[in-house]
Coordinates of all heavy atoms in Angstrom, one line a residue:
Chain B
Y49 N -15.4 13.8 -3.2 CA -16.4 13.9 -4.2 C -15.9 14.8 -5.3 O -15.1 15.7 -5.2 CB -17.7 14.6 -3.6 CG -18.5 13.7 -2.8 CD1 -18.1 13.4 -1.4 CD2 -19.6 13.0 -3.3 CE1 -18.9 12.5 -0.7 CE2 -20.3 12.1 -2.6 CZ -20.0 11.8 -1.3 OH -20.7 10.9 -0.6
Y50 N -16.4 14.4 -6.5 CA -16.1 15.2 -7.7 C -17.4 15.5 -8.4 O -18.0 14.5 -8.9 CB -15.1 14.5 -8.6 CG -14.8 15.2 -9.9 CD1 -14.1 16.4 -9.8 CD2 -15.2 14.8 -11.1 CE1 -13.8 17.1 -11.0 CE2 -14.9 15.5 -12.3 CZ -14.2 16.6 -12.2 OH -14.0 17.3 -13.4
N51 N -17.8 16.7 -8.5 CA -18.9 17.1 -9.3 C -20.2 16.4 -8.9 O -21.0 15.9 -9.7 CB -18.7 17.0 -10.8 CG -19.6 17.9 -11.6 OD1 -20.1 18.9 -11.1 ND2 -19.8 17.6 -12.9
G52 N -20.3 16.2 -7.6 CA -21.5 15.5 -7.0 C -21.4 14.0 -6.9 O -22.3 13.4 -6.2
E53 N -20.4 13.4 -7.4 CA -20.3 11.9 -7.3 C -19.1 11.6 -6.4 O -18.1 12.2 -6.4 CB -20.0 11.4 -8.7 CG -21.0 11.6 -9.7 CD -22.3 10.8 -9.5 OE1 -22.2 9.7 -9.0 OE2 -23.4 11.4 -9.7
E54 N -19.3 10.5 -5.6 CA -18.2 10.0 -4.8 C -17.1 9.5 -5.7 O -17.3 8.7 -6.6 CB -18.8 8.9 -3.9 CG -17.7 8.3 -2.9 CD -18.3 7.2 -2.1 OE1 -19.3 7.3 -1.4 OE2 -17.7 6.1 -2.2
R55 N -15.9 9.9 -5.4 CA -14.8 9.6 -6.2 C -13.8 8.6 -5.6 O -13.2 7.8 -6.2 CB -14.0 10.9 -6.6 CG -12.8 10.7 -7.4 CD -13.1 10.8 -8.9 NE -11.9 10.7 -9.7 CZ -11.8 10.9 -10.9 NH1 -12.9 11.3 -11.6 NH2 -10.7 10.8 -11.6
A56 N -13.6 8.8 -4.3 CA -12.6 8.0 -3.6 C -13.0 7.9 -2.1 O -13.6 8.9 -1.6 CB -11.2 8.5 -3.7
K57 N -12.8 6.8 -1.5 CA -13.1 6.6 -0.1 C -11.9 6.2 0.7 O -11.2 5.3 0.2 CB -14.2 5.5 0.0 CG -15.2 5.7 1.1 CD -16.5 4.8 0.8 CE -17.6 5.1 1.8 NZ -18.8 4.4 1.5
G58 N -11.8 6.7 1.9 CA -10.7 6.4 2.7 C -11.2 5.7 4.0 O -12.0 4.9 3.9
N59 N -10.6 6.1 5.1 CA -10.9 5.4 6.3 C -12.2 6.0 7.0 O -12.1 6.5 8.1 CB -9.7 5.5 7.3 CG -8.5 4.9 6.7 OD1 -8.5 3.9 6.1 ND2 -7.4 5.6 6.9
I60 N -13.2 6.0 6.3 CA -14.5 6.7 6.8 C -15.3 5.6 7.5 O -15.6 4.5 6.9 CB -15.2 7.4 5.7 CG1 -16.4 8.2 6.3 CG2 -15.7 6.5 4.6 CD1 -17.0 9.2 5.3
L61 N -15.7 5.9 8.7 CA -16.6 5.0 9.4 C -18.0 4.9 8.8 O -18.4 5.8 8.2 CB -16.6 5.4 10.9 CG -15.3 5.5 11.7 CD1 -15.6 6.2 13.0 CD2 -14.7 4.2 11.8
E62 N -18.6 3.8 9.1 CA -20.0 3.6 8.6 C -20.9 4.6 9.3 O -22.0 5.0 8.7 CB -20.5 2.2 8.9 CG -19.9 1.2 7.9 CD -20.6 -0.2 8.0 OE1 -21.7 -0.3 8.6 OE2 -20.0 -1.1 7.4
R63 N -20.6 5.1 10.4 CA -21.4 6.1 11.1 C -21.3 7.5 10.5 O -22.0 8.4 10.8 CB -21.0 6.2 12.6 CG -21.1 5.0 13.4 CD -20.7 5.2 14.8 NE -19.3 5.3 15.1 CZ -18.7 6.5 15.4 NH1 -19.4 7.6 15.5 NH2 -17.4 6.5 15.6
F64 N -20.3 7.6 9.6 CA -20.1 8.9 8.9 C -20.6 8.8 7.5 O -20.5 7.7 6.8 CB -18.6 9.3 8.9 CG -18.0 9.5 10.2 CD1 -18.7 9.4 11.4 CD2 -16.6 9.8 10.3 CE1 -18.1 9.6 12.6 CE2 -16.0 10.1 11.6 CZ -16.8 9.9 12.7
S65 N -21.1 9.9 7.0 CA -21.5 9.9 5.5 C -21.3 11.3 5.0 O -21.2 12.3 5.8 CB -23.0 9.5 5.4 OG -23.8 10.4 6.0
A66 N -21.2 11.4 3.7 CA -21.0 12.8 3.1 C -21.8 12.8 1.8 O -22.2 11.8 1.3 CB -19.5 13.0 2.9
Q67 N -22.0 14.0 1.4 CA -22.5 14.2 0.0 C -22.1 15.6 -0.5 O -21.7 16.5 0.3 CB -24.1 14.1 0.1 CG -24.8 15.0 1.0 CD -26.3 14.8 1.0 OE1 -26.9 14.4 0.0 NE2 -26.9 14.9 2.2
Q68 N -22.2 15.7 -1.8 CA -21.9 16.9 -2.5 C -23.1 17.3 -3.3 O -23.6 16.5 -4.0 CB -20.7 16.8 -3.4 CG -20.3 18.2 -4.0 CD -19.0 18.1 -4.9 OE1 -18.7 17.0 -5.5 NE2 -18.3 19.2 -5.0
F69 N -23.6 18.5 -3.1 CA -24.8 19.0 -3.6 C -24.6 19.6 -5.0 O -23.5 19.9 -5.4 CB -25.5 20.0 -2.7 CG -25.9 19.4 -1.4 CD1 -25.0 19.2 -0.3 CD2 -27.1 18.8 -1.2 CE1 -25.3 18.6 0.9 CE2 -27.5 18.2 0.0 CZ -26.6 18.1 1.0
P70 N -25.7 19.9 -5.8 CA -25.5 20.5 -7.1 C -24.8 21.8 -7.1 O -24.1 22.1 -8.1 CB -27.0 20.6 -7.6 CG -27.7 19.5 -6.9 CD -27.1 19.4 -5.5
D71 N -24.9 22.6 -6.0 CA -24.2 23.8 -6.0 C -22.7 23.6 -5.6 O -22.0 24.6 -5.4 CB -24.9 24.8 -5.1 CG -24.8 24.4 -3.6 OD1 -24.4 23.3 -3.3 OD2 -25.2 25.3 -2.8
L72 N -22.3 22.4 -5.4 CA -20.9 21.9 -5.1 C -20.6 22.0 -3.6 O -19.5 21.5 -3.3 CB -19.9 22.6 -6.0 CG -20.1 22.4 -7.5 CD1 -19.1 23.2 -8.3 CD2 -20.0 20.9 -7.9
H73 N -21.4 22.6 -2.8 CA -21.0 22.5 -1.4 C -21.2 21.1 -0.9 O -21.9 20.3 -1.5 CB -21.8 23.5 -0.6 CG -23.1 23.0 0.0 ND1 -24.3 23.0 -0.6 CD2 -23.4 22.4 1.2 CE1 -25.3 22.5 0.1 NE2 -24.7 22.1 1.3
S74 N -20.5 20.8 0.2 CA -20.5 19.4 0.7 C -20.8 19.4 2.2 O -20.6 20.4 2.9 CB -19.1 18.8 0.5 OG -19.1 17.5 1.0
E75 N -21.4 18.3 2.6 CA -21.7 18.1 4.0 C -21.2 16.8 4.5 O -21.3 15.8 3.7 CB -23.2 18.2 4.3 CG -23.8 19.6 4.1 CD -25.2 19.7 4.3 OE1 -25.9 18.7 4.6 OE2 -25.8 20.9 4.3
L76 N -20.6 16.8 5.7 CA -20.2 15.6 6.3 C -21.0 15.3 7.5 O -21.1 16.2 8.4 CB -18.7 15.7 6.7 CG -18.0 14.5 7.4 CD1 -17.9 13.3 6.5 CD2 -16.7 14.9 8.0
N77 N -21.7 14.2 7.5 CA -22.6 13.9 8.6 C -22.0 12.8 9.5 O -21.5 11.8 9.0 CB -23.9 13.3 8.1 CG -24.6 14.3 7.2 OD1 -25.1 15.4 7.6 ND2 -24.7 14.0 5.9
L78 N -21.9 13.1 10.8 CA -21.3 12.2 11.8 C -22.4 11.8 12.8 O -23.0 12.7 13.4 CB -20.2 12.9 12.5 CG -19.2 13.7 11.7 CD1 -18.2 14.4 12.6 CD2 -18.5 12.8 10.7
S79 N -22.7 10.6 12.9 CA -23.8 10.1 13.8 C -23.3 9.2 14.9 O -22.1 8.7 14.8 CB -24.9 9.5 13.0 OG -24.3 8.3 12.3
S80 N -24.1 9.0 15.9 CA -23.8 8.1 17.0 C -22.4 8.4 17.5 O -21.5 7.6 17.7 CB -23.9 6.6 16.6 OG -25.1 6.3 16.1
L81 N -22.2 9.7 17.8 CA -20.8 10.2 18.1 C -20.3 9.5 19.3 O -21.0 9.3 20.3 CB -20.9 11.7 18.2 CG -21.0 12.5 16.9 CD1 -21.3 13.9 17.1 CD2 -19.7 12.3 16.1
E82 N -19.0 9.3 19.3 CA -18.2 8.7 20.4 C -17.1 9.7 20.8 O -16.8 10.6 20.0 CB -17.6 7.4 19.9 CG -18.6 6.4 19.5 CD -18.0 5.1 18.9 OE1 -16.7 5.1 18.9 OE2 -18.7 4.2 18.5
L83 N -16.6 9.5 22.0 CA -15.5 10.4 22.4 C -14.4 10.5 21.5 O -13.8 11.5 21.2 CB -15.0 10.0 23.8 CG -16.0 10.1 25.0 CD1 -15.4 9.5 26.2 CD2 -16.5 11.5 25.2
G84 N -14.1 9.3 20.9 CA -12.9 9.2 19.9 C -13.1 10.0 18.6 O -12.2 10.1 17.8
D85 N -14.3 10.5 18.4 CA -14.6 11.2 17.2 C -14.1 12.7 17.3 O -14.2 13.4 16.3 CB -16.1 11.2 16.8 CG -16.5 9.8 16.5 OD1 -15.7 9.0 16.0 OD2 -17.7 9.4 16.8
S86 N -13.8 13.0 18.5 CA -13.3 14.4 18.7 C -12.0 14.6 17.9 O -11.1 13.9 18.0 CB -13.0 14.6 20.2 OG -14.1 14.5 21.0
A87 N -12.1 15.6 17.1 CA -11.0 15.9 16.1 C -11.2 17.2 15.4 O -12.3 17.8 15.5 CB -10.8 14.7 15.1
L88 N -10.2 17.5 14.6 CA -10.4 18.6 13.6 C -10.7 18.0 12.3 O -10.1 17.1 11.8 CB -9.1 19.4 13.6 CG -9.0 20.8 13.0 CD1 -10.0 21.7 13.7 CD2 -7.6 21.3 13.2
Y89 N -11.8 18.5 11.7 CA -12.3 18.0 10.4 C -12.0 19.1 9.4 O -12.5 20.2 9.5 CB -13.7 17.6 10.5 CG -14.0 16.4 11.3 CD1 -14.1 16.5 12.7 CD2 -14.0 15.1 10.8 CE1 -14.3 15.4 13.5 CE2 -14.2 14.0 11.6 CZ -14.3 14.1 12.9 OH -14.5 13.0 13.7
F90 N -11.2 18.7 8.4 CA -10.9 19.6 7.3 C -11.6 19.3 6.0 O -11.8 18.1 5.7 CB -9.4 19.6 7.0 CG -8.6 20.3 8.0 CD1 -7.8 19.6 8.9 CD2 -8.6 21.7 8.1 CE1 -7.0 20.3 9.8 CE2 -7.8 22.4 9.0 CZ -7.0 21.7 9.9
C91 N -12.0 20.3 5.3 CA -12.5 20.1 4.0 C -11.4 20.8 3.1 O -10.8 21.8 3.4 CB -13.8 20.8 3.8 SG -14.4 21.1 2.1
A92 N -11.2 20.2 1.9 CA -10.3 20.8 0.9 C -11.0 20.7 -0.4 O -11.8 19.9 -0.7 CB -9.0 20.1 0.9

Side-chain angles (χ1 to χ4, degrees):
Chain B
Y49 281 84
Y50 177 70
N51 204 19
E53 299 289 327
E54 182 183 303
R55 178 89 176 191
K57 214 165 188 175
N59 302 320
I60 188 166
L61 300 172
E62 285 191 11
R63 301 183 285 110
F64 296 0
S65 65
Q67 54 184 327
Q68 186 179 27
F69 294 87
D71 68 352
L72 300 177
H73 92 270
S74 179
E75 292 181 355
L76 179 67
N77 300 296
L78 315 176
S79 61
S80 301
L81 285 167
E82 302 174 0
L83 295 178
D85 297 327
S86 296
L88 198 51
Y89 291 83
F90 283 108
C91 167

